[in-house]
Amino acid sequence: MFSRPGYRRLWAARTASAWGDAFATVALSLLVLDRTGSDVGVAGVVAAEIVPVLLLAPFAGVVVDRLSPVRVMVAADLARVVLAAVLPLVADSVPAIYAVAFGLSAASVFFNPAAGAVLPALVDEEELIAANSGIWTAAVLSQIVLAPAAGAVVAWVGYGPAFWINAASFAASAAVLARLRPARPPGAGGTRAGWWHQAREGVAVRPV
């Protein structure tokens, strides 16, 4: 698959995005713990990251179906660039930290299905399993490596540079994706129902 330029771009972008997600999760938790000194405060970050998944996942699929998946991914990355870059400016406010955590998670909710939707347009059908495996292996390794690395960066240089590094990872992903040109239109074909009807269907089929 790596012989295909489109797949290489998607793999690189998703890996950079996974770096950003892993880095943000650890740095946000450490920041809230530092500001509140409470395990409950850290639980609030987890809740702020889970709520967007519960609320927005059904609608994310509809958006990806209606719009260009590449544009959705770029928009999600750019939103995360802004949120991560602004966070050091509001780091003294715990509610603001929760709001940023919510926003970062919400952007990821749209990014991930868009990436999944565009993959079949970049590789042949018989390559899909291996292509997905390559992307998710990189994501898992990112979690393993960057969790301790994020803690080390925070300890060495502080929260501001840590979140700017975080923003840079999302910016790199957006830059790579901006030049992604799928060989085939993702999700082409079929008559689409209305937005609300599709969102209700998404809720109905979402695993419990």
Side-chain angles (χ1 to χ4, degrees), residues 64-188:
V64 170
D65 184 52
R66 296 275 176 160
L67 304 178
S68 161
V70 174
R71 291 182 180 178
V72 172
M73 286 188 288
V74 171
D77 272 334
L78 293 178
R80 292 186 289 187
V81 169
V82 173
L83 289 168
V86 166
L87 185 54
L89 305 178
V90 298
D92 290 331
S93 169
V94 174
I97 296 170
Y98 289 157
V100 170
F102 183 98
L104 289 170
S105 178
S108 296
V109 169
F110 287 93
F111 181 96
N112 292 330
V118 81
L119 181 60
L122 301 175
V123 299
D124 292 334
E125 185 176 354
E126 61 271 17
E127 298 175 315
L128 274 175
I129 294 177
N132 267 310
S133 178
I135 288 171
W136 286 108
T137 298
V140 171
L141 291 176
S142 297
Q143 294 283 342
I144 295 171
V145 172
L146 288 180
V153 169
V154 168
W156 290 341
V157 300
Y159 292 105
F163 284 110
W164 291 328
I165 292 170
N166 187 206
S169 70
F170 294 127
S173 174
V176 171
L177 288 170
R179 299 182 63 186
L180 180 61
R181 301 290 184 270
R184 302 180 297 279

